[in-house]
Amino acid sequence: MAQTVLMYARPDAPAKFADSQLVLPIGIGVSVIVLLFQLSRSSPDKSPVTPPEPYTTTAPQQQNRHVEVGFKRFVSQSGGRVVFAYKLIRLLCCVALLGLSIATASLGARGLDREHAATLWTRFVQCEVYVYATALSLASLIVPSRTSLLTSHVSAVLLLTWVVYASRDILPLATTTLRPLDADEGLLLWVKLAILTVAAVVIPVFIPRSTSKDSEEPLTKEQEAGWYSRRMFTWLNETVAKAHRVDHIPLEELPALAPNDRTKHLVDTNLKYLDPLETKSDRHIFWGFLKIYRRQYAVAALLTTLASILGMSWPVAMQGLLAWLEEGHAHPTLRPWAWPLILFLGPAAKTVCEEWYYWIMNRINVRTEALVTELLFTHALRIRVKSETSSSSSARDESPSAAAGTSDAAPATTAEAPKNDVLVGKLNNLITSDLDNITDGNKQLLLAIIQVPLKIAVAIAFMYSILGWSALVGLATLLALFPLPGYLSAWIQTFQKGRMHKTDARVQTINEVLNVVRMIKLFGWEQRVAAQIDERREAELAYIRLTRWLEVVNNLFNIPLVTMAATFASYTVLMKGELTASKLFSSNAAFMLIQQEMHMIFFFIPMVTQGRVSLDRINSFLHETELLDEFAATKDDRAPSRAFVHSTHDEDVLGIKQTSFTWTNDAEVQTPGSTSSGTQRRKFVLNIDGELLFKRGKINLIVGPTGSGKTSLLMALLGEMHAKPSGPDSFVSLPRSGGVAYAAQESWVLSDTIRNNILFGAPYDEARYAKVIKQCALERDLSLFEAGDKTEVGEKGITLSGGQKARITLARAVYSSAEILLLDDVLAALDVHTGKWIVDQCFRDGLVRGRTVLLVSHNVALVRPIAELVVALGADGRIVSQGSIDKTLQEDRELLVELETEEQQLKRAEEQVDKLEVPEDDPQKGKLVVAEEIAEGQVGWKALRLYIMNTAKIPALYWPGMALALVLTHTIMNGQTYVFSLWANEYEKHAPSEVSVAFYLGLYGLAVVGAILTYAMVWLFYVTGSNRASRLIHNKLVTSVLGTTLRWLDMTPTSRVIARCTVDMQSIDITIPRQVFYMVESTIFMLLRAAATAIMAPLFIPAAAVIGVLGATLGWIYLKAQICVKREMSNARAPVLGHFSSAIAGIVSIRAYGAQHHFKTESYTRIDKYSRAAFIYSGLSRWITVREDLMGTALTAALAGYLVYAARLSAANAGFAMSMAIGFSANILYWVRLINNLMISANRQVVNLERVQQYLTIEQEPKATSTGVPPAYWPASGELRVEKLSARYSPGSGSALSGVPAASSLTLALLRCIITEGKVYYDGIATDSINLDALRANITIIPQTPELLSGTLRKNLDPFEQHDDSTLNDALRSAGLFSLQEHEGNARLTLDSEITGGGSNLSVGQRQILALARAMVRRSKLLILDEATSAIDYETDTIIQNTLRTELGRDVTVLTVAHRLQSIMEADKIMVLDAGRIVEYDAPRHLLKKENGYFRSLVDGSNDRDALSSDELDS
């Protein structure tokens, strides 16, 4: 009976039987040694086995329940039910294999004679293996604490066993000359192999890593997935299925981010290799990344090596299959069915390796994005906020920082508003375009240095095996031509650098424009600014155009075609060889691989080069930006002078001694510098010659004229300025143990609610919070907001007045627990009543009492009663006097004169402030910044149509013309392959000597030349159309944003607009045109290949149709999921950019409060949201690719089987059909990918186009019409008449203004910036009948916070170069700048002085003076001053008011909005407003005579009561 199922091994069994099985005991020995070593060094896995609860002697049901609970815990600790089941099945398989092996060994021993008894031990090798495997399987099941280690060993042993017996018994089946070595075991052999396959292959491939729910932190879908699920990305099936059912999947419902991919973990473990302060070296960050990702790069290198080798499987299979089809050749070694099998398994394995590689590299990229963003964020928190200009041509030793901070507000304004446009613009570019370039280059790096040379080498080796030494001729030709790509690479690098510089210039311009967009709209400059942006855009497009023409040179320069011609010619002419179908088509396939890799070189080199350029830019930023002294000392231990803090013998001392301060470490003296262009750079030095000590627990007042350095003194204490000791006892001391709070002169607020701005991350204390609201006079303001303190303030606090922002900033400082408060002119923007309230309620008796306060203020009279120490600064940046108020008055005569007018102060009547009404807790109330729109469903063709319709004036002719040229090109390319078929057929019909090699080589060359010429014509279509679309779309975007309403700008964070103008436009410039073009080309290519294949093998069409339908279905399902994720990914990135920009804007406040950790934590949260979507996005790309690849591979293998067993084709025609079919099969996947990429794209493509499309349809202000052009004489005067004017900010809001708008809102209504009702007549013409640009060009407004441009002072006064220097100097003189600078010597401002973005190197007062000068240059008949002199000292204010009375014509109307009464007392009429309504309107003298008048009460409550009353009554 046994003999019927078992064939005994013969005595003459091959010696290989023993040789191959020797591997198994060796493998077991290695496993044992390694296992013992690992057990001795490793700790048990998490979740050790918990002993079961002790049984009790109670009822059997309770004991059963204990048993059940214990078993469940045991199963859970083993990895969960599924994992436990797989382990149990593997144990059973091992036991079964052990039993079968014992039976086989016993039966086999009986048939051996004494001569072969020496080989008996090999019969028990299987038994030994399976005993060991069974023991490991059992241990992995019952010892959960070591399950991972034991499982890895049992899997390795079983896999080794399977490989040995597969090579012995399965592979021989594919040959015609070999037989299985263990065939004498009969049926039992195949039973054992089946069981072994299950245990060694199926279970390790499919077993999940863990499904337990009892871990401390829930595992992600990917962490639970097994090998097959991770390689085929089936762990995303649930996400894909859900996306197919619903319209949109929100971010919260996507698979979670793994713990080791979270930003905090990445920063904690890896930042030490990248941060220059931690590495303490100038090492390039590339080496840090290499150390961080060394293991991932090693695995990726192995995978790309395997994929490169496996890529040769289809030329090898084609050669074998065609050789079998050729007539008159010897019978091949392999069976015919082996070639289609190889044609499937080889490319399938290649696909798995490639997608594994891309998943690893994408994971590296997402982690890199998180790391680099956080690295730049961390580094930005350390840099010195110096004033940089937009000039990119300055040499490095002429650092823009040399123009830094002359003034009160230099650091504050730089830090507290995003006005340092070069810095902010550069950072935006680094974390958007540059970071994208780095990740793209990183993905292709290993492919460029491993895949390309390896594939070329393997292809040449293959050709040598079939064509002999003629392949070396091809290699020599290849090497001779290979330097040419190097020259092309140099050109590409040059163009890429040039394009990046032009892109930087455009982005910086847009960034600056967006930061001053309100000023641009109020001045009616939209068209002129758009023209400036277009000019920079044209320079950028010129480089893009050159780069595209360089791409066509890459495409047309075909080294492999020349190499192939040389190889075939030498083989046929010199070697007299026959180019049979098997040789010709297989070698052609190898040449096509070489051609593909050569094209990939041209593709990889620009990406890798661009990535390196961007990485160098980031590295330069990290190593070359100037840091604060404390960080500079940490980075460079050899520079102790940068961070000196000499002991004062008292840690509580607050002050400075014998120290000078500059804004950069290269500013030595207070003299002007100059650049290569001749423009002056103003350098300011704050000198503390003696000892300056502030009183602790008291209020210290800092006074001085505009530009004297009051703010600089606060910045010096905070460490924001570069300190230079002047003596051995020098020190700078700001005790931080009790906390420091800072309120900037130009208030910085977060784009958040009022409450969160006040809390600033501190715990909410209701009682303390209520006191702060009251003492900072915010109760009435909050009661006017529908949502109270839950109201969002918008970006830069756009919904708040200057006074409200100042009080919120003050409230933040007061609410904090800080012992030291640095308050920079917080009273400047407040009216008399409010300022008096804050001094009395907050400073004198409130929460500030007992805390150390350093208060900068111009309002000395108001603060005098509470000031214990007064420090007066002079115009030269030195201390004029310090001490008590009386001592200071004796030493400072100007201050004394100012106070003499206030000797008869009256106590202000106590102001009644309404109680704050607590609003209902409705999160939608007070919402200003709207959530970014996320479209649902498929990407609209309307967005894609935007690109298509802008490529040509007549798109209906453009696109068919390009398609026709492509049809002609690819028909000729298919003809090239058909020439090979004709050539190979000649060798089947004629003797080699009768075949005309020259004819066929010439015919082939003619086809190549024809294809080159037609493709050049196609490229001409592509370049002209794509450049035209890029130009027009960008122009429409800029026009739309500049033409929108102020309300839309208030609701939309600047970061979103910048994202559209940078990342989204980059997709429209580069990726979308390329993808649209390749999609059209691929469609034509696929159709022509299918037609050519169908001519030779008609049955290919049904199979191709089935695969096509399946591919399209999968692509459709995938597309819905990918679009959802891509939209979430795009919208998750904007908050990262917004937070980054906001933090840079408030960098001084953040550092002063010590809130860096809080902002980093928020940054972690936002980056994690982006990373979560980015990982899933990458996974979905792999999900579709692996499936489409395998389907295409199956189609090719099916065609090969058809050609072997069904078709009756010659080898030459079969080779042509296979070449066409392989191109078609590969193109199905490529075509689906292109559609998917076009709709959502790896580089943001059409989703980005959709995002730009959204901004082309935003609400717009009325456009200019021919009927709206005013008469040429208009305006002849500044006559202004208002009738029943009311206004609201948005159509859905209630009427915010009635009668006449309130204060600053009146200016918006006059300029038609908000929705108005009623009539406004300017010089007799209704303003609603005039075009907006004409109206605003003839009205000039000077806002409370004037906005300046980056460049020279001349550019700011005359940005469009319409006036000469004499006119500009006259305006500066009239505005009071020259009188202000009488004592400044060489440090004075001139027309050539550099002004930084936003005027950040000037004080607020200086900026207001320049804004006034700009208004005088415009010569408008209507001039509006909106708190325009609030930050100017009284003396300069007097000069300005005199200028307004004397310099302006009598036909000019001046409308002044002011809380400072001195500024308006000489006005012709005064309008008093309250809650948006007119309270009083009359001449000042008449208003002062009203006993209970509102204006009279304001004057009576002022410290200047007597002076104000007497001056006006005398006049």
Side-chain angles (χ1 to χ4, degrees), residues 260-276:
N260 57 352
D261 290 321
R262 292 174 186 165
T263 307
K264 187 177 187 308
H265 172 80
L266 295 174
V267 168
D268 292 343
T269 56
N270 300 316
L271 210 62
K272 58 187 176 183
Y273 302 116
L274 304 173
D275 191 346

Side-chain angles (χ1 to χ4, degrees), residues 628-634 636 639-646 722-723 725:
L628 296 179
D629 289 351
E630 58 177 309
F631 298 111
T634 303
D636 187 0
S641 62
R642 291 187 176 183
F644 71 97
V645 182
H646 286 259
H722 178 60

Side-chain angles (χ1 to χ4, degrees), residues 1331-1437:
N1331 290 334
L1332 283 178
D1333 56 345
L1335 174 65
R1336 294 171 182 174
N1338 288 283
I1339 299 176
T1340 299
I1341 178 174
I1342 307 175
Q1344 178 178 357
T1345 306
E1347 296 170 321
L1348 301 181
L1349 303 172
S1350 176
T1352 63
L1353 192 153
R1354 179 185 291 102
K1355 176 184 175 182
N1356 275 275
L1357 297 183
D1358 185 22
F1360 306 108
E1361 301 179 358
Q1362 298 173 309
H1363 304 281
D1364 57 26
D1365 285 2
S1366 61
T1367 302
L1368 303 182
N1369 279 315
D1370 288 343
L1372 290 174
R1373 183 179 298 103
S1374 299
L1377 180 65
F1378 291 170
S1379 62
L1380 176 68
Q1381 297 184 139
E1382 286 179 356
H1383 306 293
E1384 292 196 13
N1386 290 331
R1388 65 180 56 200
L1389 289 167
T1390 67
L1391 291 177
D1392 291 325
S1393 297
E1394 286 286 346
I1395 308 298
T1396 63
S1400 55
N1401 60 329
L1402 304 177
S1403 68
V1404 177
Q1406 289 169 323
R1407 275 181 265 162
Q1408 290 180 336
I1409 290 174
L1410 296 186
L1412 178 61
R1414 180 167 58 196
M1416 292 181 172
V1417 170
R1418 281 168 61 90
R1419 298 292 181 184
S1420 301
K1421 297 297 183 180
L1422 178 57
L1423 180 61
I1424 304 172
L1425 284 72
D1426 186 1
E1427 295 285 2
T1429 60
S1430 62
I1432 298 175
D1433 59 75
Y1434 292 111
E1435 180 181 353
T1436 307
D1437 189 16

